[in-house]
Amino acid sequence: MPSHTLGVALPIMSFVQYPADHPFPIQNLPYGVFSTDAQPVTRPGVAIGDYILDLAALSKTAHWAKSPVKAEVFQTANLDAFVALEPEDWAAFRAFLTSILAPSSPLKADADAVLLPRTAKSTHMHLPIRIGDYTDFYASYAHAFNAGVLIRGPENALQPNWKHLPVGYHGRASSIVVSGTPFHRPTGQILDKPTDKQPIFAPCRKLDYELETAFIYGGSPTKLGQRLTPAQARKHIFGLVLMNDWSARDIQTWEYVPLGPFLSKNFCTTIAPWIVSPAALEPFKVKQYDHEPALLPYLDDPEGYNFAVPLHLEVKTAESGDYSHVSTSDMRHTYYTFAQMIAHHSATGCNIRPSDMMGSGTLSVPSNDNAPNDGGLGSLLERSRLGREPFALNDQRKDMTWLRDGDSVRITGVAKGDGYNIGFGECEGTVLPAVEA
């Protein structure tokens, strides 16, 4: 197996070698689903350095004897069976992986049979789970405020309910795709001119990205009528992924009154292929936002926290062929914790099932001077002021407002720890022309 230079001695080591700044060290061990040209069957794997540990293949070897999880859990096309286990099972299996990848592990002698090149063109990533239900929240104060100012003015930027509950909408699970999947520009009802009263049916003219994080619910499903506290909900967070909830702003403007987004959000949502566990993010916990006014007791989360993970968004145009940096935000910028979002979701007794996915909403950086922070905005709606203020993306496009056909958007996230990094991979998608009738 090829080897790489290990930059520094890490507190936890592996016989798989990689640079010290690699996003997938043994401290990470994110889960995904992959296939290869040689073996086109999709199966679960774990990223370690530039390799994927094939869990299906490993489960058929003698090395599996010490695994706390049954082999058949990973002899499937996705991670659903593993996600449906309990948090203590996830923790035990993570410990097993750390041990089996340790420098002294006997697996080292058989590594070529179960470790496959992750970056090879013959390796393909797939959706890691079969997403049952999908809910997207609107939990970044900066984004909600910025958008509200543009639509309603600073005095009425936030709706009266926003600081009392995590606002969200039910999305469409069927159109969630894995990173690298292109999608067609949506077509729908829009107003040709802002003053028009009669809509037209046309391709979206104001296509936007949304820089987000999503989290996967796991463990035992809740029963219809059952509610979760934030403390209970936190235990059910199997892992986190990067997400881009593509948005058709002109379709959204016309349709969202009175029931919120529908066709403007259901045409495509992109997620990264790797699910990072909360255990890997423990060193990056930060204090949650202060809540003023105080939240109602069912949302109270005194032990709540957010994760500090810088998130970078880039756009590549057909003219340039190279990515241009647009925004740097952070996973920490959610007014509500992920546990509070789940708790609120269950407040009515809505049952939640393993492999359900929930999004954070667009993450933007707060401003200290009441002016939008252009370098930390998570959407073009904010960056271009609803398309009213074009900006220079690169030398070839100096009038950027909304996404054009052929544009690609890439989101990455890497938390820098003490001698190691925790990466989330890439969340990338490309806009194709609208499908002609």
Side-chain angles (χ1 to χ4, degrees), residues 80 124 150 160 166 215 239 293 324 329 360 382 402 433:
D80 287 351
H124 312 284
L150 290 168
F215 49 101
S324 300
S329 187
S360 63
E382 299 164 86
W402 307 104

Side-chain angles (χ1 to χ4, degrees), residues 205-288:
R205 300 172 183 174
K206 299 180 179 180
L207 186 61
D208 202 354
Y209 54 71
E210 290 193 347
L211 171 61
E212 299 196 34
T213 302
F215 49 101
I216 311 300
Y217 181 94
S220 301
T222 61
K223 297 178 181 179
L224 193 65
Q226 180 183 353
R227 297 194 300 269
L228 295 174
T229 66
Q232 292 169 331
R234 186 174 296 109
K235 297 177 182 179
H236 285 278
I237 299 175
F238 173 77
L240 296 87
V241 297
L242 301 180
M243 186 175 87
N244 185 344
D245 189 36
W246 308 91
S247 299
R249 299 302 186 189
D250 43 3
I251 297 175
Q252 183 177 3
T253 300
W254 176 246
E255 77 175 2
Y256 85 102
V257 179
L259 294 181
F262 177 34
L263 302 183
S264 59
K265 297 280 192 173
N266 74 350
F267 57 93
C268 186
T269 299
T270 303
I271 65 171
W274 296 107
I275 304 176
V276 177
S277 70
L281 297 173
E282 276 288 315
F284 307 100
K285 294 193 297 187
V286 292
K287 183 179 180 295
Q288 65 177 307

Side-chain angles (χ1 to χ4, degrees), residues 387-398:
R388 300 164 188 158
E389 298 182 17
F391 65 95
L393 176 67
N394 51 41
D395 290 340
Q396 289 74 34
R397 187 178 299 175
K398 298 185 179 181

Side-chain angles (χ1 to χ4, degrees), residues 13 18 33 45 62 71 131 149 176 180 189 216 229 249 254 294 309 356 406 413 419:
M13 303 289 287
Y18 42 77
V33 166
I131 300 165
V149 168
I176 297 173
Q189 287 195 22
I216 311 300
T229 66
R249 299 302 186 189
W254 176 246
V309 180
D356 283 356

Side-chain angles (χ1 to χ4, degrees), residues 22-242:
H22 201 287
F24 296 142
I26 195 168
Q27 289 87 351
N28 193 349
L29 301 179
Y31 295 101
V33 166
F34 75 105
S35 66
T36 62
D37 289 346
Q39 290 182 283
V41 175
T42 59
R43 65 253 193 214
V46 168
I48 175 72
D50 289 332
Y51 299 90
I52 298 176
L53 177 62
D54 186 335
L55 294 179
L58 181 66
S59 71
K60 299 174 183 177
T61 70
H63 300 286
W64 198 262
K66 294 184 179 180
S67 169
V69 174
K70 294 180 180 179
E72 53 263 33
V73 168
F74 293 106
Q75 295 173 2
T76 59
N78 55 43
L79 289 162
D80 287 351
F82 184 52
V83 174
L85 298 181
E86 297 304 320
E88 52 267 28
D89 298 314
W90 308 334
F93 190 73
R94 180 176 172 82
F96 165 73
L97 289 175
T98 301
S99 174
I100 201 97
L101 290 167
S104 60
S105 171
L107 181 64
K108 184 176 182 179
D110 303 322
D112 288 339
V114 295
L115 281 170
L116 304 176
R118 179 176 55 83
T119 57
K121 291 184 178 180
S122 58
T123 301
H124 312 284
M125 300 306 299
H126 305 272
L127 282 177
I129 57 176
R130 184 175 180 179
I131 300 165
D133 284 305
Y134 159 53
T135 299
D136 197 21
F137 287 96
Y138 186 51
S140 166
Y141 176 86
H143 171 68
F145 181 81
N146 293 339
V149 168
L150 290 168
I151 297 169
R152 294 179 296 274
E155 295 79 11
N156 301 300
L158 294 181
Q159 299 286 8
N161 64 350
W162 198 90
K163 284 193 172 183
H164 294 274
L165 57 85
V167 174
Y169 75 93
H170 292 286
R172 182 71 182 176
S174 65
S175 54
I176 297 173
V177 301
V178 73
S179 177
T181 306
F183 68 96
H184 290 279
R185 178 179 297 273
T187 302
Q189 287 195 22
I190 63 174
L191 294 180
D192 189 33
K193 303 180 188 64
T195 56
D196 286 353
K197 303 298 182 183
Q198 177 68 28
I200 62 173
F201 187 73
C204 166
R205 300 172 183 174
K206 299 180 179 180
L207 186 61
D208 202 354
Y209 54 71
E210 290 193 347
L211 171 61
E212 299 196 34
T213 302
F215 49 101
I216 311 300
Y217 181 94
S220 301
T222 61
K223 297 178 181 179
L224 193 65
Q226 180 183 353
R227 297 194 300 269
L228 295 174
T229 66
Q232 292 169 331
R234 186 174 296 109
K235 297 177 182 179
H236 285 278
I237 299 175
F238 173 77
L240 296 87
V241 297
L242 301 180

Side-chain angles (χ1 to χ4, degrees), residues 267-412:
F267 57 93
C268 186
T269 299
T270 303
I271 65 171
W274 296 107
I275 304 176
V276 177
S277 70
L281 297 173
E282 276 288 315
F284 307 100
K285 294 193 297 187
V286 292
K287 183 179 180 295
Q288 65 177 307
Y289 272 53
D290 294 327
H291 297 102
E292 178 60 41
L295 300 177
L296 294 177
Y298 82 98
L299 284 175
D300 190 33
D301 190 12
E303 298 180 0
Y305 50 82
N306 292 338
F307 293 116
V309 180
L311 304 173
H312 302 276
L313 188 141
E314 304 165 290
V315 175
K316 179 173 67 175
T317 67
E319 308 99 297
S320 69
D322 296 316
Y323 273 102
S324 300
H325 179 266
V326 178
S327 178
T328 298
S329 187
D330 200 289
M331 195 181 293
R332 72 168 73 201
H333 295 308
T334 57
Y335 188 77
Y336 300 93
T337 67
F338 297 148
Q340 285 171 325
M341 295 180 210
I342 297 174
H344 182 65
H345 202 307
S346 74
T348 56
C350 169
N351 51 323
I352 308 175
R353 298 169 293 195
S355 293
D356 283 356
M357 190 178 84
M358 303 180 195
S360 63
T362 304
L363 298 170
S364 294
V365 176
S367 300
N368 295 321
D369 57 1
N370 295 320
N373 180 353
D374 287 351
L377 301 177
S379 68
L380 287 172
L381 178 148
E382 299 164 86
R383 183 66 179 83
S384 71
R385 315 297 192 265
L386 274 177
R388 300 164 188 158
E389 298 182 17
F391 65 95
L393 176 67
N394 51 41
D395 290 340
Q396 289 74 34
R397 187 178 299 175
K398 298 185 179 181
D399 59 345
M400 182 72 176
T401 51
W402 307 104
L403 295 172
R404 304 177 191 177
D405 293 348
D407 287 353
S408 299
V409 177
R410 180 171 67 188
I411 299 171
T412 55

